[in-house]
Amino acid sequence: MSRLRAALDPKSIAIIGASDNPNKVGGRPVHFLGKFGFKGKIYPINPTRPEIQGHKSYASLQDLPEAPEMVIVAVAGDNAIAAVEDCAAAGVKVAVVMASGFGEVDQIAGKAKERRMVEAARKAGMRIVGPNSQGLANFGTGAIASFSTMFVEMEPAAANAKGHVAMLSQSGALSTVPVGFLRQRGIAVRHTHATGNDSDITVGELACAVAEDPEVKLMLLYLESIPDKAYLEELAAIALDRDLPIIALKSGRTEAGKAAAQSHTGALANEDRVVDAFFEHHGIWRAPDMRGLVEATELYLKGWKPQGRRLVAISNSGAVCVLTADAATQVGMPMAKLASETDAKLKSILPGFATTTNPIDLTAALLSNSALFGDILPVIAKDPAADAFLIGVPVAGPGYDVPAFSRDTAAFAEQTGKPVVVAATQPSVAQVFAANGTSVFPTEVEAVSALHQFLAHHELMFRARSRRATRPPSEALITPRAETLMLNEADSLALLSSRGVPVVPHRLCLSRSEAVAAFTLIDGPVVVKGCSADIAHKSELGLVRLGVTSADATGAIYTEMEQIIAKAGARFDGVIVAAMAGGRREMMIGAHRDPVFGPVVVIGDGGKYVEVFRDTKLLLPPFAAADVHDALKGLRIAPLFAGAHGEPPMDVDAFVEAVVRVGEIMRDESAGVVSIDLNPVMLGSAGEGCVVVDAVVFHGA
Amino acid sequence: MSRLRAALDPKSIAIIGASDNPNKVGGRPVHFLGKFGFKGKIYPINPTRPEIQGHKSYASLQDLPEAPEMVIVAVAGDNAIAAVEDCAAAGVKVAVVMASGFGEVDQIAGKAKERRMVEAARKAGMRIVGPNSQGLANFGTGAIASFSTMFVEMEPAAANAKGHVAMLSQSGALSTVPVGFLRQRGIAVRHTHATGNDSDITVGELACAVAEDPEVKLMLLYLESIPDKAYLEELAAIALDRDLPIIALKSGRTEAGKAAAQSHTGALANEDRVVDAFFEHHGIWRAPDMRGLVEATELYLKGWKPQGRRLVAISNSGAVCVLTADAATQVGMPMAKLASETDAKLKSILPGFATTTNPIDLTAALLSNSALFGDILPVIAKDPAADAFLIGVPVAGPGYDVPAFSRDTAAFAEQTGKPVVVAATQPSVAQVFAANGTSVFPTEVEAVSALHQFLAHHELMFRARSRRATRPPSEALITPRAETLMLNEADSLALLSSRGVPVVPHRLCLSRSEAVAAFTLIDGPVVVKGCSADIAHKSELGLVRLGVTSADATGAIYTEMEQIIAKAGARFDGVIVAAMAGGRREMMIGAHRDPVFGPVVVIGDGGKYVEVFRDTKLLLPPFAAADVHDALKGLRIAPLFAGAHGEPPMDVDAFVEAVVRVGEIMRDESAGVVSIDLNPVMLGSAGEGCVVVDAVVFHGA
């Protein structure tokens, strides 16, 4: 931890506004530093008392025997600003500012106060955590610069030093609530940091530093907004390099949530689907809610190297077998098909009324013969079709040898090295399994959900790592210029064509006679469109005519459109005469620049109802053809590509190629393209390709 | 409980195969009857011992001083059959058969053994529970005729007599696992019954009897298959009459689950979407999984009469406010817009950095002033916009007056009479709220999910009750005859038209000259279709020609199609000349008879990809226009009906009317219709109506 060392592992900590009452904001850190075994120097600062919680108290920063590496600023309002200025002057390395009432309350005056503190700090080379921060807590070093109420009921140092989980958040409550859940499951946490308003050190920068702590095996994040992607990209890179899984709960998914986040932390609203795409691109698992943030934690700490998703379920309840098969299928984990030798061996062990196909139902026969369980596990362990295991013991007690089940399960997990989870309703049973190091969930649905998350996250990280290995990292963000220009359709098509995106055969005609000639050249019914860089919605002005069948008509329409455009007071850029594009499905390709995440490419089902159905997927450049194929598989219309209803397959490769080209245009700063809207892109049968029929491109001014 | 009284409240119970060991199948019921305070006579039957668990033991049924009302058959295999025959002969009223190895193992020989027992019982007027039954447990009467391991760790009578929840299942484990979860939350259960193979008394029949117990306030069901709908319909009717909510977990949702259910209980596979529609129709809430079955239980027992879904959230954590807004929006609960007076009053109470709009963020200011909480609740209680409340206390402890929060919350709930839930991570905090009778969940997402279920279930029951009030109950099921006949298209269209379903203008022509005349009559491009009751897929044989533009061509096609049909060796029923139907969207209406649930009408997006996209909803006749409108709102294409993209609205009323007519055809036994497939049904703009273009009707032979 060379980065931000003074924030995570300071040698000395002073507390401005220290209180003798361990339940006051200024008293808690003093108490926690003692309780959690901080080895460095502790300097309470409070001019009204000689001693604070057994430590000598100092009247001011100037009275300390040394400049402390970290200062906790536990005084309120403008006093906090003055304290920060004092810290900067005194050569402090990091100030943790707990006071509220800054940018989170007042976007103008509050933010200005934050800037004042940050400027003072920058000049002196000091860093700031906060303001409005609940504080930092590194249980590995005992540096608990926090006033969290959650730590009051936490066990002291010993238990926590073994922790391998890091939890980071701007929010105080959300930095500690997951910790509370994990403690209830007996899982210790190493880092718990709440960065508050992120005026200087952001949660992302701190996460990069924490990710370098080799003891951290799993990182959890709670984010209300992502104002800047750079640190998250760096974090993801560090994490992929050292195989550190990251799970993020990003709230503000809905409009109501975004509004509440704005009130809470002045959060900038991110476009939620872009956030999804960003996390996926970087191998970060997005938890749907608080429960999803913590639910699978234990599985990440086992050191398993999963090879697949095929599940084997074993239970003494047939109903649990049924529910497990339902739950697994619904999340996309197939039930493994066991070998016939496995089946034969199971049949020789189990009674006739048991079920030997997967899911394996031991039935209530287990009540008469507790050895059944230990007898079948080694048989199943040898079957190569099994990637992961769920053992359901919904009810047990007197008559069942639960300690033996637990030992057999632990031995089985050891033997296979594959993921094994147990579902056990009764705490009395769950405790016996947990005591032997097995991960236990109250129901099969929670067990399957956690297992699925762990396996799918592993696959996500694998894909993100391969993507990184084969392609250059994302470039610095091109900030879209405020002024953008719409290209006329002819220029839009020309730009696309020059970059290798197939467009419909067409001619831009600047006279009636050129239009007539174009008809003859194209030879067949044509589409005639008026062309003007001032007119985005051509149809509404009568500037699109489909199925024109004669040269004369084409000429007449030319004249008519010239007049319409003149009447509209718009530039006349000519008239496009284009072939009637064939194809079987109207697709769409869009692209824009997200203010935070940069270029975003949207692909999917096209046509006029694209906004109604939104059957689209997002891709973040750089991406390759394989990524586009993966994205297409997630569309609702995906079954059509292979040919539904007896139809031949479509030319998906051609569409993928066009999407890749659009991604390249968006990555190329010199192209200066701000947004692209191609709809429809007509997709034909295999070998027929695809063509862009309508195109609107916006360019930097 | 007049029905099946001897099963639920027997005056005397004998146990054939009684064991002195309370952990054997035959020992458990003896033990439980004592433990849970059964007041009737207990007669252990075991010829090898004079006494069983302190009760006098009898050598045989004949040796008892009276014919017991209930006999528990705890002997295995063929001995169980003999015991049942003895019971029948002795005048026993109900036999509970625990032995396994019958129909669940062997569909032929096993089922035959079951029939033998049932026949013996029927002759004597005895009823049977099981075989393969874990048994019945009525904690209200102490009649625990069960060998469940779960009851070993359960408290005796006192706690359970207060229970108001009934749990019924065929499966033993699944009848008790929910009970275990509820006990962990301090909720007592009154009935827990596992009926096993349902050879005589089914879980549905028993549920009807249990639903008549006035102490039951909530009924939970676990079902692996629904072989017969009659008892469930009766159960739903009883439940709606007395306002008893029913939550059902029906497994076998997926193919893997169905296969496992087949192995477990020989379950017949129900079509899952029809099950959904059936439960919805009858006001039964379908739980997605075990967790969903029990999660909201407490809320049902409060006696709340909810009026709407608008949520108010209050927390000392801004992040919990954000997460609650996200969670509520995602399940369809809007955040209530509070009155400006409420806002003004809250502003006068809370510090400036708190948020007074809903969700209300008290901030960490609550740590300094625990009274804030009690001060704001009465203000919010008066706001009429609030339908339900969530109070989030993610972290509390020393410094917070949690007992005061808990008292204030309880008083607030009492004052408003509206649903109130608390989300509290820490068990130490949750316990304080729970002690005052408040429902507490570990996270906001679980609290919102439970609240949503409770409110949405209430709405579902309200709709089911109104449906029942205005319409006659479903008639007895018309069993589809094995032999069905396809009508030719002309007959199909004629049948629909005679029943008021609008069909495309057309003529069935039996000669070339009739075809020529039909073209002239229809006046315009026509569709020409060969008509044969032997040919279902006309297009593939070239028997559909669109856009025919002349009388001559129509005549020529007539001759051609006559030849095609002759060549195919099929009946020639003529040629249909039809108008080219306009309209804006291809819809579909289908109907069939489910072997269990009877008539099912399927409506939705039509066209050739109907099976690919499956944007359809199911309706169970009888239904009214309002039900069809509700179903259409659930379609993915729903936004198109009101007019998307600047288009005018569509004639939804006309489509709804056509669907209602199809429902009537399916309900009318005299119509003899087995299935209907109308696709496309062209739907036009408002006022333009809809017309059936293609129709295939199957009729009973």
Side-chain angles (χ1 to χ4, degrees):
Chain A
M1 281 187 293
S2 49
R3 288 170 83 157
L4 301 179
R5 190 203 43 80
L8 296 171
D9 186 19
K11 295 193 182 351
S12 49
I13 303 179
I15 303 94
I16 298 182
S19 167
D20 199 47
N21 180 344
N23 285 325
K24 295 272 183 195
V25 169
R28 286 253 171 95
V30 180
H31 173 65
F32 291 152
L33 287 167
K35 174 175 177 183
F36 293 101
F38 177 62
K39 299 279 190 295
K41 291 278 198 302
I42 304 174
Y43 300 120
I45 298 179
N46 182 330
T48 68
R49 286 175 169 271
E51 209 182 88
I52 298 279
Q53 299 184 45
H55 302 273
K56 172 176 163 54
S57 173
Y58 297 85
S60 76
L61 204 54
Q62 287 72 32
D63 297 327
L64 299 187
E66 61 176 331
E69 288 200 334
M70 173 188 279
V71 172
I72 299 168
V73 178
V75 291
D78 288 346
N79 290 335
I81 304 176
V84 166
E85 287 167 343
D86 289 352
C87 288
V92 168
K93 290 187 171 142
V94 170
V96 178
V97 186
M98 291 172 170
S100 304
F102 292 86
E104 83 281 12
V105 175
D106 182 335
Q107 290 280 332
I108 311 293
K111 285 277 178 211
K113 287 178 186 175
E114 290 183 13
R115 275 195 301 275
R116 194 174 133 197
M117 290 192 281
V118 173
E119 275 160 27
R122 290 259 160 91
K123 274 181 208 153
M126 185 178 82
R127 302 299 306 270
I128 293 180
V129 173
N132 191 27
S133 161
Q134 196 178 69
L136 310 186
N138 180 348
F139 292 100
T141 62
I144 315 299
S146 166
F147 66 93
S148 168
T149 301
M150 186 66 87
F151 303 158
V152 175
E153 61 183 32
M154 253 167 87
E155 315 77 3
N160 296 297
K162 290 181 299 183
H164 298 294
V165 180
M167 171 74 222
L168 290 93
S169 156
Q170 287 184 276
S171 154
L174 267 281
S175 72
T176 54
V177 164
V179 175
F181 278 119
L182 294 178
R183 276 184 62 237
Q184 288 174 37
R185 301 194 68 145
I187 302 168
V189 169
R190 188 172 184 86
H191 292 268
T192 312
H193 306 302
T195 58
N197 289 6
D198 286 13
S199 67
D200 177 25
I201 295 177
T202 63
V203 69
E205 183 180 1
L206 191 66
C208 289
V210 171
E212 288 175 349
D213 180 345
E215 287 300 314
V216 171
K217 302 274 164 55
L218 174 67
M219 179 176 281
L220 308 179
L221 299 175
Y222 171 76
L223 303 169
E224 276 180 20
S225 87
I226 304 174
D228 179 350
K229 69 167 180 171
Y231 279 122
L232 283 183
E233 283 183 335
E234 187 184 346
L235 172 65
I238 297 169
L240 288 176
D241 276 342
R242 53 161 293 212
D243 206 15
L244 170 67
I246 301 175
I247 306 172
L249 173 56
K250 163 71 177 66
S251 64
R253 274 184 178 271
T254 64
E255 287 312 312
K258 284 190 176 88
Q262 165 68 33
S263 299
H264 180 217
T265 43
L268 172 136
N270 296 110
E271 193 188 332
D272 203 59
R273 296 186 67 197
V274 182
V275 173
D276 274 340
F278 178 79
F279 284 152
E280 188 175 335
H281 190 87
H282 290 287
I284 297 172
W285 184 264
R286 185 169 187 182
D289 50 40
M290 171 57 61
R291 191 48 90 176
L293 185 64
V294 295
E295 195 63 29
T297 299
E298 281 175 80
L299 310 193
Y300 287 91
L301 303 178
K302 296 283 184 191
W304 289 325
K305 304 286 174 206
Q307 299 299 319
R309 290 184 170 204
R310 293 166 304 174
L311 182 68
V312 173
I314 306 154
S315 179
N316 61 331
S317 157
V320 167
C321 287
V322 180
L323 289 167
T324 303
D326 272 348
T329 306
Q330 286 181 315
V331 296
M333 292 179 67
M335 299 305 291
K337 191 161 165 37
L338 298 177
S340 52
E341 309 90 83
T342 307
D343 188 61
K345 279 189 201 146
L346 291 176
K347 277 199 167 60
S348 71
I349 299 168
L350 293 173
F353 48 88
T355 305
T356 53
T357 51
N358 179 24
I360 297 159
D361 178 8
L362 303 178
T363 74
L366 191 62
L367 180 55
S368 326
N369 179 6
S370 276
L372 281 182
F373 193 76
D375 289 347
I376 66 151
L377 288 184
V379 176
I380 297 163
K382 294 198 185 80
D383 199 302
D387 295 317
F389 305 91
L390 184 149
I391 293 167
V393 187
V395 187
Y400 292 94
D401 190 350
V402 177
F405 300 163
S406 166
R407 283 192 306 273
D408 291 341
T409 303
F412 171 71
E414 181 77 24
Q415 184 192 354
T416 66
K418 294 173 182 173
V420 179
V421 294
V422 166
T425 317
Q426 298 157 288
S428 55
V429 175
Q431 279 150 16
V432 179
F433 279 97
N436 270 321
T438 304
S439 294
V440 193
F441 297 85
T443 70
E444 57 289 335
V445 84
E446 287 148 330
V448 164
S449 166
L451 201 50
H452 168 258
Q453 174 183 329
F454 172 69
L455 298 175
H457 190 176
H458 192 267
E459 293 167 14
L460 193 72
M461 290 176 70
F462 179 82
R463 286 199 300 271
R465 207 178 283 114
S466 347
R467 196 178 292 125
R468 226 158 56 94
T470 56
R471 265 153 289 156
S474 177
E475 70 281 35
L477 182 61
I478 305 168
T479 311
R481 282 152 281 199
E483 288 293 309
T484 60
L485 277 183
M486 186 179 81
L487 301 190
N488 71 36
E489 184 157 14
D491 289 345
S492 295
L493 291 171
L495 185 147
L496 292 161
S497 187
S498 74
R499 295 287 184 145
V501 180
V503 304
V504 69
H506 67 283
R507 289 266 159 151
L508 177 66
C509 306
L510 295 173
S511 69
R512 182 166 177 155
S513 60
E514 276 183 36
V516 168
F519 178 87
T520 310
L521 193 75
I522 289 169
D523 184 30
V526 297
V527 181
V528 184
K529 297 194 271 191
C531 187
S532 167
D534 297 332
I535 298 173
H537 301 288
K538 292 187 285 287
S539 302
E540 293 158 21
L541 287 174
L543 291 174
V544 178
R545 297 282 281 276
L546 303 171
V548 179
T549 52
S550 76
D552 280 357
T554 305
I557 292 167
Y558 178 97
T559 306
E560 196 184 317
M561 288 188 174
E562 192 171 20
Q563 288 162 358
I564 292 172
I565 292 173
K567 206 168 156 193
R571 266 173 295 179
F572 176 69
D573 296 332
V575 165
I576 293 172
V577 177
M580 292 282 285
R584 282 169 40 201
R585 189 82 194 175
E586 293 186 341
M587 302 293 291
M588 67 81 66
I589 305 174
H592 66 277
R593 292 189 186 276
D594 183 275
V596 171
F597 298 100
V600 178
V601 174
V602 185
I603 60 173
D605 198 18
K608 65 178 167 177
Y609 297 131
V610 69
E611 289 301 320
V612 176
F613 295 137
R614 286 201 170 232
D615 185 19
T616 54
K617 291 280 164 191
L618 274 62
L619 289 160
L620 301 189
F623 53 78
D627 299 313
V628 184
H629 277 288
D630 277 350
L632 289 175
K633 281 181 196 132
L635 292 177
R636 196 161 163 278
I637 58 166
L640 302 187
F641 297 139
H645 210 70
E647 295 167 338
M650 293 188 189
D651 202 337
V652 176
D653 289 344
F655 184 75
V656 167
E657 178 63 24
V659 174
V660 168
R661 296 294 166 96
V662 169
E664 285 165 2
I665 297 172
M666 294 304 289
R667 284 195 70 205
D668 179 1
E669 192 169 8
S670 72
V673 171
V674 174
S675 73
I676 296 176
D677 183 7
L678 312 181
N679 183 15
V681 180
M682 295 304 305
L683 177 55
S685 297
E688 292 175 2
C690 70
V691 285
V692 173
V693 173
D694 277 318
V696 181
V697 172
F698 277 80
H699 203 276
Chain B
M1 283 187 291
S2 49
R3 287 169 84 158
L4 300 180
R5 190 204 42 81
L8 297 171
D9 186 18
K11 293 193 182 0
S12 49
I13 303 179
I15 303 96
I16 298 181
S19 167
D20 200 47
N21 180 342
N23 285 325
K24 295 273 183 191
V25 169
R28 286 254 171 95
V30 181
H31 173 66
F32 292 151
L33 288 168
K35 174 177 177 181
F36 293 102
F38 178 62
K39 297 282 190 295
K41 289 280 198 304
I42 304 174
Y43 299 121
I45 298 179
N46 182 331
T48 69
R49 287 175 168 271
E51 209 181 89
I52 296 278
Q53 298 183 44
H55 301 274
K56 172 176 162 52
S57 173
Y58 297 85
S60 75
L61 202 55
Q62 286 72 33
D63 296 326
L64 300 187
E66 60 176 331
E69 289 199 333
M70 173 189 279
V71 173
I72 299 169
V73 178
V75 289
D78 288 347
N79 289 335
I81 305 177
V84 167
E85 287 168 343
D86 288 352
C87 289
V92 168
K93 290 186 173 145
V94 170
V96 178
V97 185
M98 291 171 170
S100 306
F102 292 86
E104 84 281 12
V105 176
D106 182 336
Q107 289 281 331
I108 312 292
K111 284 278 177 208
K113 287 179 185 175
E114 289 183 12
R115 274 196 302 276
R116 192 174 134 197
M117 288 191 282
V118 173
E119 274 161 27
R122 289 260 160 90
K123 275 182 208 152
M126 185 178 83
R127 302 300 306 272
I128 294 179
V129 173
N132 192 27
S133 161
Q134 193 177 71
L136 310 186
N138 180 349
F139 292 99
T141 62
I144 314 299
S146 167
F147 67 93
S148 169
T149 301
M150 186 67 88
F151 303 158
V152 174
E153 61 183 31
M154 254 169 87
E155 315 78 3
N160 298 296
K162 290 181 300 185
H164 298 293
V165 179
M167 172 73 222
L168 290 93
S169 156
Q170 287 183 276
S171 154
L174 267 282
S175 73
T176 54
V177 164
V179 175
F181 279 119
L182 294 177
R183 276 183 62 237
Q184 288 173 37
R185 303 196 66 145
I187 302 168
V189 169
R190 189 172 184 86
H191 292 269
T192 312
H193 306 303
T195 58
N197 289 4
D198 287 14
S199 68
D200 177 25
I201 296 177
T202 62
V203 69
E205 182 180 1
L206 191 66
C208 288
V210 171
E212 287 175 351
D213 179 346
E215 289 299 316
V216 172
K217 303 275 163 55
L218 174 67
M219 180 175 282
L220 309 179
L221 300 175
Y222 171 77
L223 305 168
E224 277 179 21
S225 88
I226 304 175
D228 179 350
K229 70 167 180 170
Y231 279 122
L232 283 183
E233 283 183 336
E234 187 184 345
L235 172 64
I238 297 168
L240 288 174
D241 276 342
R242 53 161 293 214
D243 206 13
L244 169 68
I246 301 174
I247 305 172
L249 173 56
K250 163 71 176 67
S251 64
R253 275 184 177 272
T254 64
E255 288 312 311
K258 285 191 175 91
Q262 165 69 33
S263 298
H264 182 216
T265 44
L268 173 136
N270 296 110
E271 191 187 333
D272 202 59
R273 297 186 65 196
V274 181
V275 173
D276 274 339
F278 178 79
F279 284 152
E280 186 176 337
H281 190 88
H282 290 287
I284 297 172
W285 185 264
R286 185 170 185 182
D289 50 38
M290 172 57 60
R291 191 49 91 177
L293 184 64
V294 295
E295 195 63 30
T297 298
E298 282 175 81
L299 310 192
Y300 287 91
L301 303 177
K302 297 282 184 191
W304 289 326
K305 304 285 175 208
Q307 299 300 317
R309 288 184 172 208
R310 293 166 304 173
L311 182 68
V312 173
I314 305 153
S315 180
N316 60 331
S317 158
V320 167
C321 288
V322 179
L323 289 168
T324 303
D326 272 347
T329 306
Q330 286 183 314
V331 296
M333 292 179 66
M335 299 305 292
K337 191 164 164 36
L338 298 177
S340 52
E341 309 92 80
T342 306
D343 188 61
K345 280 189 200 146
L346 291 177
K347 278 201 166 58
S348 71
I349 298 167
L350 293 174
F353 48 86
T355 304
T356 53
T357 50
N358 180 27
I360 297 160
D361 178 7
L362 305 177
T363 74
L366 191 62
L367 180 55
S368 327
N369 179 5
S370 275
L372 282 181
F373 192 78
D375 289 347
I376 66 153
L377 288 183
V379 176
I380 296 164
K382 292 197 185 80
D383 198 301
D387 295 318
F389 305 91
L390 184 149
I391 293 167
V393 187
V395 187
Y400 293 94
D401 190 351
V402 177
F405 299 162
S406 166
R407 283 191 306 273
D408 292 341
T409 302
F412 170 72
E414 180 78 24
Q415 184 193 353
T416 66
K418 294 173 183 173
V420 179
V421 293
V422 166
T425 317
Q426 298 157 288
S428 56
V429 175
Q431 279 150 15
V432 179
F433 280 96
N436 270 320
T438 304
S439 294
V440 193
F441 297 85
T443 71
E444 56 289 334
V445 85
E446 285 149 331
V448 164
S449 165
L451 200 50
H452 168 258
Q453 174 182 331
F454 172 69
L455 299 175
H457 190 175
H458 193 267
E459 293 166 14
L460 191 73
M461 289 177 70
F462 179 83
R463 286 200 300 273
R465 208 180 280 113
S466 343
R467 195 179 294 126
R468 226 157 57 93
T470 55
R471 264 154 290 155
S474 175
E475 72 279 34
L477 181 62
I478 305 166
T479 310
R481 281 153 282 197
E483 289 292 310
T484 59
L485 277 184
M486 186 179 81
L487 300 189
N488 71 38
E489 183 156 15
D491 291 344
S492 295
L493 291 171
L495 185 148
L496 292 162
S497 185
S498 73
R499 295 288 183 142
V501 181
V503 303
V504 68
H506 67 283
R507 287 268 159 150
L508 177 65
C509 306
L510 296 171
S511 69
R512 182 165 177 158
S513 60
E514 277 182 36
V516 170
F519 177 89
T520 312
L521 192 76
I522 290 168
D523 185 29
V526 297
V527 180
V528 184
K529 297 195 271 194
C531 188
S532 167
D534 296 331
I535 299 173
H537 302 288
K538 291 188 284 286
S539 303
E540 292 160 20
L541 286 175
L543 292 173
V544 178
R545 297 281 282 273
L546 303 171
V548 179
T549 52
S550 77
D552 279 355
T554 305
I557 292 167
Y558 178 96
T559 305
E560 196 184 318
M561 288 187 173
E562 191 172 21
Q563 287 161 356
I564 291 173
I565 293 173
K567 206 168 154 194
R571 266 173 294 180
F572 176 70
D573 296 333
V575 165
I576 293 172
V577 177
M580 292 281 286
R584 283 171 38 203
R585 189 83 194 173
E586 293 186 340
M587 302 291 291
M588 66 81 65
I589 305 174
H592 66 278
R593 293 190 185 277
D594 183 275
V596 172
F597 297 101
V600 178
V601 174
V602 185
I603 61 173
D605 197 19
K608 64 178 167 176
Y609 297 131
V610 69
E611 289 301 319
V612 176
F613 295 137
R614 284 200 172 232
D615 186 19
T616 54
K617 290 279 165 192
L618 274 62
L619 289 159
L620 299 190
F623 53 79
D627 299 314
V628 185
H629 278 287
D630 278 350
L632 289 175
K633 280 180 196 133
L635 292 178
R636 195 159 165 278
I637 59 166
L640 302 187
F641 298 139
H645 211 69
E647 296 166 337
M650 294 188 189
D651 202 337
V652 175
D653 289 344
F655 184 75
V656 167
E657 178 64 23
V659 174
V660 168
R661 295 294 165 95
V662 169
E664 286 165 1
I665 296 172
M666 294 304 290
R667 282 197 70 204
D668 179 1
E669 191 169 11
S670 72
V673 171
V674 174
S675 74
I676 297 176
D677 183 8
L678 313 180
N679 182 17
V681 180
M682 294 305 304
L683 177 55
S685 296
E688 293 176 1
C690 70
V691 286
V692 173
V693 173
D694 277 317
V696 181
V697 172
F698 278 80
H699 201 277

